[in-house]
């Protein structure tokens, strides 16, 4: 049952799209395990002696000291695109929208399928799609084809954000890597820093007061995350970068010089999500089952964050946060499959709940008047917000065979016309694929009889394809 509850009213409407099935490729990454992080688009010979990339999630060893990467590397002709383990499945473009034909409004455009490596992070900008997985590569896509790629000597890429010509990636090893797009060749990405930088790390280590106790008999520098990074977020002017971690903290970085300005112990358990909001507010969601609000103040050359309030305290972990583009609504996904939301114009009063998933909500995204929620139940719910703040589920997008871990949305300028706004939505899953969807804001609601029939079909598919081995990674409170 898909429900939107607001002020005691229940809305029940949805449409369902069933994506085509696909087969896996019998190929693997053969990337070098050296420290070369710069690649051009030129092919290179494969190295048969190198072991293939594994699809298992690497374990994070918190007892190992952090080794800071050399921040500058010279370009090389090597490329991770040789012997690519990816394949592209492109569907025909959608027909012109019709008033009551949902399939013409929200359709699966195609899939990027990888034999090895679950997809953990996505970012889209200016027609380019960045994908991060548990391999060492970040792939770049253009027009559903491989455009470029770059490689880190760390494995799992947990988060990707883009600030103009810089790309920030957060990793399982607790470090942030900074990449710069070449001015001469946009397919070349050069790593320019690893956060914390070597200079700041050494300078900070000179003072004993800069060490904090993270567990009994173990101290670390406050500028260093000692557990996996769960998410990254940028301020609107891209001057500040926020990193949240399973170490219960979030840190603030200045993007101009990569200096760590502040570290805040925000929760009693892993911080699963952080989003920079409106009016200088920052929102954090945690495995301690709370959503907290922090107020940012500029103090000299640094920042200071003060705890403002706890928006939510519940019985299940908070797994995802998102703010809509107009900065008027805050959305929160939880491990019980429910999405809560708050309204800015009403002093962050609770607006209602969106009930459409059977398992944990793992990711959220918003574009225009639409809200997208991806879940461990392998489905993506598309919610449309009306002018009075009411939400209705207009679509349930199915096509993945594993939990939907990340989402990214970009405006579709090519097919937008006649007053209709369309979006290209990318969904990354633990089934090792990225699906590309064309979604319209004018998607009509279907009749109640069709609604019931498609919900029944969705429930049947969920029971028949649910993989407990795939869900094992999201079964804990850390997401």
């Amino acid at each position: 049952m898909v429900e939107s509850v607001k002020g005691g009213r229940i809305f029940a409407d949805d449409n369902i799209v069933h994506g085509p099935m696909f087969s896996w490729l019998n190929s693997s990454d053969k990337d070098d395990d050296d420290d070369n992080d710069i690649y051009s688009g030129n092919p290179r010979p494969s190295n048969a002696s190198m072991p293939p990339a594994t699809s298992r999630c690497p374990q994070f060893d918190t007892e190992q000291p952090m080794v800071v990467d050399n921040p500058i590397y010279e370009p090389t002709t090597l490329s991770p695109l040789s012997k690519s383990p990816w394949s592209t499945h492109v569907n025909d473009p959608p027909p012109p929208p019709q008033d009551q034909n949902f399939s013409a409004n929200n359709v699966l455009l195609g899939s990027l399928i990888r034999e090895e490596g679950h997809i953990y992070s996505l970012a889209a900008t200016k027609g380019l799609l960045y994908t991060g997985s548990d391999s060492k590569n970040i792939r770049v896509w253009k027009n559903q084809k491989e455009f470029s790629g770059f490689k880190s000597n760390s494995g799992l890429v947990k988060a990707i954000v883009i600030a103009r010509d810089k790309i920030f990636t957060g990793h399982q090893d607790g470090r942030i890597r900074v990449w710069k797009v070449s001015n001469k060749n946009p397919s070349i990405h050069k790593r320019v820093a690893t956060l914390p930088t070597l200079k700041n790390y050494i300078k900070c280590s000179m003072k004993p007061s800069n060490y904090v106790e993270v567990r009994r008999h173990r101290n670390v520098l406050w500028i260093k995350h000692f557990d996996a990074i769960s998410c990254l977020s940028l301020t609107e002017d891209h001057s500040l970068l926020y990193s949240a971690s399973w170490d219960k903290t979030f840190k603030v970085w200045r993007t101009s010089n990569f200096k760590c300005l502040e570290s805040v112990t925000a929760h009693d358990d892993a911080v699963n999500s952080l989003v920079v909001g409106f009016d200088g507010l920052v929102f954090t969601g945690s495995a301690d089952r709370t959503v907290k609000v922090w107020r940012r103040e500029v103090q000299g050359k640094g920042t200071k964050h003060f705890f403002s309030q706890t928006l939510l305290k519940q019985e299940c972990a908070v797994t995802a946060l998102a703010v809509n583009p107009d900065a008027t609504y805050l959305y929160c996904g939880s491990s019980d499959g429910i999405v809560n939301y708050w309204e800015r114009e009403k002093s962050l009063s609770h607006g209602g709940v969106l009930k459409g998933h059977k398992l944990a909500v793992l990711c959220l995204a918003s574009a225009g008047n639409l809200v997208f929620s991806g879940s461990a139940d392998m489905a993506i719910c598309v919610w449309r917000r009306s002018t009075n703040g009411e939400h209705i589920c207009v679509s349930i997008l199915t096509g993945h065979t594993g939990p939907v871990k990340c989402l990214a949305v970009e405006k579709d300028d090519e097919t937008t016309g006649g007053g209709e706004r369309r979006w290209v939505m990318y969904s990354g899953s633990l089934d090792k694929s990225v699906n590309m969807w064309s979604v319209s804001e004018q998607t009509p609601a279907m009749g109640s009889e069709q609604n019931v029939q498609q919900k029944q079909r969705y429930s049947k598919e969920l029971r028949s394809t649910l993989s407990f081995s795939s869900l094992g990674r999201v079964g804990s409170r850390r997401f």
Side-chain angles (χ1 to χ4, degrees), residues 381-445:
C381 284
V382 183
W383 309 85
R384 185 170 61 225
R385 182 181 61 254
S386 63
T387 54
N388 61 0
E390 296 176 347
H391 292 67
I392 183 172
C393 182
V394 295
S395 310
I396 297 180
L397 306 179
T398 63
H400 284 296
T401 59
V404 180
K405 190 66 178 66
C406 49
L407 298 170
V409 188
E410 221 184 356
K411 189 175 182 180
D412 187 356
D413 294 322
E414 294 183 2
T415 59
T416 298
E420 180 192 24
R421 284 202 298 183
R422 299 188 66 86
W423 307 90
V424 176
M425 191 266 291
Y426 304 94
S427 57
S429 170
L430 300 188
D431 65 7
K432 310 170 186 177
S433 75
V434 177
N435 283 348
M436 296 159 287
W437 310 84
S438 178
V439 183
S440 170
E441 287 198 22
Q442 279 70 45
T443 301

Side-chain angles (χ1 to χ4, degrees), residues 134-434:
D134 53 7
S135 73
K136 297 182 179 181
N137 293 327
I138 296 97
R139 303 273 175 171
V140 189
W141 308 85
K142 186 176 183 179
N143 298 326
Q144 303 180 14
K145 295 181 180 179
E146 290 187 280
F147 175 72
S148 179
F150 46 99
K151 175 183 176 183
S152 167
N153 61 356
S154 172
L156 198 153
V157 184
K158 297 280 290 184
I160 306 174
V161 293
I162 301 171
R164 301 184 183 92
D165 62 340
K166 294 187 182 69
I167 297 95
F168 296 88
T169 56
H171 297 260
Q172 182 82 6
D173 63 2
R175 285 176 279 184
I176 303 167
R177 290 167 174 83
V178 188
W179 314 83
K180 197 175 189 309
V181 181
S182 170
N183 294 326
K184 297 181 179 180
N185 187 345
S187 67
I188 296 179
H189 295 72
K190 181 179 180 180
R191 191 176 68 181
V192 295
T194 299
L195 309 185
T197 62
L198 181 59
K199 177 181 178 180
N200 291 336
Y201 190 87
I202 294 175
K203 183 178 179 179
C204 187
S205 65
M206 298 299 181
K207 294 183 179 180
S209 60
N210 287 329
Y211 289 85
V212 294
E213 185 176 8
V214 296
R215 61 183 61 174
R216 189 177 181 184
H217 304 310
R218 186 182 178 203
N219 296 330
V220 299
L221 289 175
W222 67 269
I223 65 173
K224 167 192 171 184
H225 283 300
F226 67 91
D227 208 334
I229 290 176
S230 56
C231 63
L232 299 172
S233 185
L234 288 160
T235 54
E236 186 176 2
D237 61 1
H238 294 173
S239 63
L240 297 178
L241 171 73
Y242 287 78
S243 60
S245 171
W246 290 351
D247 64 11
K248 308 176 186 179
T249 73
F250 70 81
K251 301 188 190 300
V252 189
W253 312 79
R254 186 184 292 124
T255 58
S256 59
N257 59 5
F258 310 132
K259 182 179 180 181
C260 186
L261 303 178
E262 188 181 1
S263 179
V264 179
T265 302
H267 290 271
D268 297 327
D269 206 333
V271 183
N272 287 326
S273 186
L274 178 149
V275 63
V276 177
F278 33 79
D279 303 326
L281 300 180
V282 177
F283 305 97
T284 57
S286 169
D288 68 6
R289 305 178 295 279
T290 65
V291 175
K292 293 184 178 181
V293 185
W294 306 85
R295 187 181 73 259
R296 179 179 67 248
E297 292 185 5
V298 178
Q299 295 187 353
K301 295 182 179 180
T303 64
K304 184 68 175 179
H305 287 75
F306 298 92
F307 172 75
S308 178
Q309 62 175 309
T310 299
L311 279 183
L312 180 68
K313 182 178 287 187
Q314 57 183 12
E315 297 301 320
C316 55
V318 175
T319 53
L321 295 172
V323 173
N324 70 317
D326 294 333
T328 53
Y329 287 85
L330 169 69
Y331 297 91
C332 161
S334 304
S335 59
D336 59 0
I338 292 177
V339 177
N340 286 269
Y341 65 93
W342 294 263
E343 301 178 56
R344 175 187 182 181
E345 294 180 354
K346 297 181 180 180
S347 302
L348 285 177
S349 63
H350 188 257
V353 297
L354 311 178
K355 297 181 179 180
H357 293 287
K358 300 178 183 298
L359 296 175
V361 175
L362 302 182
C363 49
L364 292 168
S366 180
N369 293 322
L370 298 179
V371 181
F372 305 90
S373 56
S375 170
D377 63 14
M378 304 176 290
I380 303 163
C381 284
V382 183
W383 309 85
R384 185 170 61 225
R385 182 181 61 254
S386 63
T387 54
N388 61 0
E390 296 176 347
H391 292 67
I392 183 172
C393 182
V394 295
S395 310
I396 297 180
L397 306 179
T398 63
H400 284 296
T401 59
V404 180
K405 190 66 178 66
C406 49
L407 298 170
V409 188
E410 221 184 356
K411 189 175 182 180
D412 187 356
D413 294 322
E414 294 183 2
T415 59
T416 298
E420 180 192 24
R421 284 202 298 183
R422 299 188 66 86
W423 307 90
V424 176
M425 191 266 291
Y426 304 94
S427 57
S429 170
L430 300 188
D431 65 7
K432 310 170 186 177
S433 75
V434 177

